[in-house]
Amino acid sequence: MECVLKQPKVAAIIQREHQAARLARESFTAQMNAQSEVPVYNRDFRTSEAHKTQYLSIGPRMGAYLYTIARTLNARNIVEFGTSFGISTLYLAAAAAENGGKVTGSEYHAHKAQKARDNLQEAGLSSYAEILSGDGRETLQSINAPIDLLFLDGSKDIYLDILMMLEKHLRPGAMIIADNADHLPEDEGFLQYVGKDNDRYLTTLVGFNKGLASQSMFLKSF
């Protein structure tokens, strides 16, 4: 079985981008530590310096996990909220290439969206992914086909908004993967919605080096 993820060009670009993410993270952390006053963290994805400049990306283990889930599902319609510079998109597009499918990603900051497109082009995967630039609550309204896999990795405050907007397009058996689940409250919002009291979802948490992701199977439509 061909594994696009292991093609030398694709693997080299992914490795390069992971390294760039690590260096950028270390530089940003050093800058924050050098400040004489404790910085006030801006959580607004539209204006936050971190959201504008940092990769805010997944690690290699989660990348392999996303690829494996997408391949196992034979996912042909993959939607990603929070593309950033496109590391996760490379993993998902590699799976889409093998599945005969496509990734639709959304990234608020235009320069990040363009870098993601450039990475996909360089990897030879641009025909398997489209990156929409703008607020995901607006750009992803264009989705109208049954969704096989939804990956949430943008602003955590609007995970639930994105899910509820796209829920009518989820096919039974679709998977919803939400990164940084350990930063979400369990008794309200997104995790409560996909939790044990909602009979449309079966949800568990999956651990990675940097934290937890939630994994939800969509069991049935309305």
Side-chain angles (χ1 to χ4, degrees), residues 133-172:
S133 181
D135 191 319
R137 291 168 292 189
E138 299 171 0
T139 60
L140 294 178
Q141 288 186 29
S142 63
I143 302 294
N144 55 26
I147 297 171
D148 301 303
L149 174 61
L150 172 61
F151 179 48
L152 303 172
D153 196 22
S155 177
K156 296 180 290 298
D157 296 339
I158 56 177
Y159 278 7
L160 182 56
D161 294 340
I162 298 294
L163 175 60
M164 294 186 71
M165 180 180 77
L166 297 175
E167 194 172 39
K168 62 182 176 292
H169 299 303
L170 296 172
R171 69 160 177 82

Side-chain angles (χ1 to χ4, degrees), residues 8 14 21 27 63 74 91 105-106 108 110 129 142 145 156-158 166 193:
I14 289 176
S27 175
N74 195 30
Y91 285 98
S106 180
Y108 182 80
S142 63
K156 296 180 290 298
D157 296 339
I158 56 177
L166 297 175
Y193 187 78

Side-chain angles (χ1 to χ4, degrees), residues 90-101:
L90 287 165
Y91 285 98
L92 293 170
E98 296 177 51
N99 297 342

Side-chain angles (χ1 to χ4, degrees), residues 66-67 70 78 80 87-97 103 149 151:
L66 286 176
Y67 169 84
I78 301 170
E80 176 185 54
I87 291 179
S88 54
T89 321
L90 287 165
Y91 285 98
L92 293 170
V103 182
L149 174 61
F151 179 48

Side-chain angles (χ1 to χ4, degrees), residues 3 22-23 50 60 63 75 84 91 113 120 140 148 180:
C3 180
R22 284 192 294 270
L23 293 174
S84 191
Y91 285 98
L120 289 160
L140 294 178
D148 301 303
N180 305 124

Side-chain angles (χ1 to χ4, degrees), residues 27 37 59 93 102 106 206 211 222:
S27 175
E37 297 181 0
K102 183 179 179 181
S106 180
V206 182
F222 298 95

Side-chain angles (χ1 to χ4, degrees), residues 8 17-18 30 46 93 135 137 184 192 194 196 208 216:
E17 291 303 298
H18 277 307
R46 295 163 294 189
D135 191 319
R137 291 168 292 189
L184 297 172
Q192 182 188 47
V194 297
K196 58 183 176 61
F208 295 92
S216 303

